[in-house]
PDB file of all heavy atoms in Angstrom:
ATOM      1  N   GLY A 204      10.170 -14.596  -6.779  1.00  0.00           N
ATOM      2  CA  GLY A 204       9.159 -14.609  -5.732  1.00  0.00           C
ATOM      3  C   GLY A 204       7.748 -14.759  -6.276  1.00  0.00           C
ATOM      4  O   GLY A 204       7.547 -15.090  -7.452  1.00  0.00           O
ATOM      5  N   ILE A 205       6.789 -14.496  -5.415  1.00  0.00           N
ATOM      6  CA  ILE A 205       5.376 -14.620  -5.765  1.00  0.00           C
ATOM      7  C   ILE A 205       4.706 -13.272  -5.538  1.00  0.00           C
ATOM      8  O   ILE A 205       4.725 -12.739  -4.419  1.00  0.00           O
ATOM      9  CB  ILE A 205       4.689 -15.692  -4.894  1.00  0.00           C
ATOM     10  CG1 ILE A 205       5.365 -17.055  -5.107  1.00  0.00           C
ATOM     11  CG2 ILE A 205       3.198 -15.766  -5.202  1.00  0.00           C
ATOM     12  CD1 ILE A 205       4.904 -18.114  -4.124  1.00  0.00           C
ATOM     13  N   ALA A 206       4.129 -12.704  -6.574  1.00  0.00           N
ATOM     14  CA  ALA A 206       3.429 -11.427  -6.446  1.00  0.00           C
ATOM     15  C   ALA A 206       2.064 -11.651  -5.802  1.00  0.00           C
ATOM     16  O   ALA A 206       1.313 -12.533  -6.220  1.00  0.00           O
ATOM     17  CB  ALA A 206       3.262 -10.773  -7.809  1.00  0.00           C
ATOM     18  N   VAL A 207       1.771 -10.854  -4.794  1.00  0.00           N
ATOM     19  CA  VAL A 207       0.467 -10.897  -4.129  1.00  0.00           C
ATOM     20  C   VAL A 207      -0.086  -9.477  -4.154  1.00  0.00           C
ATOM     21  O   VAL A 207       0.384  -8.607  -3.420  1.00  0.00           O
ATOM     22  CB  VAL A 207       0.566 -11.399  -2.677  1.00  0.00           C
ATOM     23  CG1 VAL A 207      -0.822 -11.477  -2.047  1.00  0.00           C
ATOM     24  CG2 VAL A 207       1.265 -12.754  -2.620  1.00  0.00           C
ATOM     25  N   VAL A 208      -1.042  -9.239  -5.032  1.00  0.00           N
ATOM     26  CA  VAL A 208      -1.595  -7.894  -5.184  1.00  0.00           C
ATOM     27  C   VAL A 208      -2.708  -7.701  -4.169  1.00  0.00           C
ATOM     28  O   VAL A 208      -3.701  -8.436  -4.168  1.00  0.00           O
ATOM     29  CB  VAL A 208      -2.121  -7.685  -6.613  1.00  0.00           C
ATOM     30  CG1 VAL A 208      -2.700  -6.284  -6.768  1.00  0.00           C
ATOM     31  CG2 VAL A 208      -1.002  -7.923  -7.626  1.00  0.00           C
ATOM     32  N   ALA A 209      -2.531  -6.720  -3.290  1.00  0.00           N
ATOM     33  CA  ALA A 209      -3.505  -6.499  -2.226  1.00  0.00           C
ATOM     34  C   ALA A 209      -3.449  -5.059  -1.763  1.00  0.00           C
ATOM     35  O   ALA A 209      -2.375  -4.460  -1.673  1.00  0.00           O
ATOM     36  CB  ALA A 209      -3.229  -7.428  -1.042  1.00  0.00           C
ATOM     37  N   ASP A 210      -4.604  -4.510  -1.473  1.00  0.00           N
ATOM     38  CA  ASP A 210      -4.733  -3.179  -0.881  1.00  0.00           C
ATOM     39  C   ASP A 210      -4.845  -3.366   0.628  1.00  0.00           C
ATOM     40  O   ASP A 210      -5.851  -3.877   1.135  1.00  0.00           O
ATOM     41  CB  ASP A 210      -5.978  -2.479  -1.427  1.00  0.00           C
ATOM     42  CG  ASP A 210      -6.105  -1.037  -0.951  1.00  0.00           C
ATOM     43  OD1 ASP A 210      -5.498  -0.704   0.097  1.00  0.00           O
ATOM     44  OD2 ASP A 210      -6.822  -0.260  -1.610  1.00  0.00           O
ATOM     45  N   LEU A 211      -3.817  -2.980   1.355  1.00  0.00           N
ATOM     46  CA  LEU A 211      -3.772  -3.241   2.788  1.00  0.00           C
ATOM     47  C   LEU A 211      -4.729  -2.375   3.602  1.00  0.00           C
ATOM     48  O   LEU A 211      -4.839  -2.550   4.811  1.00  0.00           O
ATOM     49  CB  LEU A 211      -2.348  -3.069   3.313  1.00  0.00           C
ATOM     50  CG  LEU A 211      -1.300  -4.002   2.705  1.00  0.00           C
ATOM     51  CD1 LEU A 211       0.023  -3.860   3.450  1.00  0.00           C
ATOM     52  CD2 LEU A 211      -1.754  -5.445   2.693  1.00  0.00           C
ATOM     53  N   SER A 212      -5.419  -1.463   2.947  1.00  0.00           N
ATOM     54  CA  SER A 212      -6.443  -0.691   3.656  1.00  0.00           C
ATOM     55  C   SER A 212      -7.751  -1.459   3.752  1.00  0.00           C
ATOM     56  O   SER A 212      -8.681  -1.031   4.441  1.00  0.00           O
ATOM     57  CB  SER A 212      -6.684   0.653   2.965  1.00  0.00           C
ATOM     58  OG  SER A 212      -7.309   0.470   1.705  1.00  0.00           O
ATOM     59  N   GLU A 213      -7.822  -2.606   3.066  1.00  0.00           N
ATOM     60  CA  GLU A 213      -9.028  -3.419   3.051  1.00  0.00           C
ATOM     61  C   GLU A 213      -8.806  -4.679   3.879  1.00  0.00           C
ATOM     62  O   GLU A 213      -7.956  -5.514   3.545  1.00  0.00           O
ATOM     63  CB  GLU A 213      -9.398  -3.788   1.619  1.00  0.00           C
ATOM     64  CG  GLU A 213      -9.688  -2.566   0.743  1.00  0.00           C
ATOM     65  CD  GLU A 213      -9.972  -2.943  -0.696  1.00  0.00           C
ATOM     66  OE1 GLU A 213      -9.910  -4.154  -1.026  1.00  0.00           O
ATOM     67  OE2 GLU A 213     -10.262  -2.021  -1.490  1.00  0.00           O
ATOM     68  N   ALA A 214      -9.555  -4.820   4.958  1.00  0.00           N
ATOM     69  CA  ALA A 214      -9.358  -5.935   5.890  1.00  0.00           C
ATOM     70  C   ALA A 214      -9.483  -7.285   5.208  1.00  0.00           C
ATOM     71  O   ALA A 214      -8.708  -8.212   5.487  1.00  0.00           O
ATOM     72  CB  ALA A 214     -10.351  -5.826   7.045  1.00  0.00           C
ATOM     73  N   ASP A 215     -10.448  -7.434   4.321  1.00  0.00           N
ATOM     74  CA  ASP A 215     -10.640  -8.716   3.650  1.00  0.00           C
ATOM     75  C   ASP A 215      -9.423  -9.092   2.820  1.00  0.00           C
ATOM     76  O   ASP A 215      -9.042 -10.271   2.745  1.00  0.00           O
ATOM     77  CB  ASP A 215     -11.881  -8.666   2.751  1.00  0.00           C
ATOM     78  CG  ASP A 215     -13.179  -8.621   3.546  1.00  0.00           C
ATOM     79  OD1 ASP A 215     -13.131  -8.907   4.764  1.00  0.00           O
ATOM     80  OD2 ASP A 215     -14.226  -8.313   2.947  1.00  0.00           O
ATOM     81  N   ALA A 216      -8.800  -8.096   2.193  1.00  0.00           N
ATOM     82  CA  ALA A 216      -7.611  -8.359   1.391  1.00  0.00           C
ATOM     83  C   ALA A 216      -6.447  -8.799   2.275  1.00  0.00           C
ATOM     84  O   ALA A 216      -5.689  -9.712   1.932  1.00  0.00           O
ATOM     85  CB  ALA A 216      -7.230  -7.115   0.594  1.00  0.00           C
ATOM     86  N   VAL A 217      -6.301  -8.156   3.419  1.00  0.00           N
ATOM     87  CA  VAL A 217      -5.234  -8.519   4.345  1.00  0.00           C
ATOM     88  C   VAL A 217      -5.446  -9.937   4.874  1.00  0.00           C
ATOM     89  O   VAL A 217      -4.509 -10.736   4.969  1.00  0.00           O
ATOM     90  CB  VAL A 217      -5.145  -7.520   5.509  1.00  0.00           C
ATOM     91  CG1 VAL A 217      -4.036  -7.923   6.483  1.00  0.00           C
ATOM     92  CG2 VAL A 217      -4.895  -6.109   4.992  1.00  0.00           C
TER      93      VAL A 217
END
Side-chain angles (χ1 to χ4, degrees):
I205 300 171
V207 182
V208 180
D210 185 338
L211 299 188
S212 69
E213 299 177 358
D215 289 345
V217 179

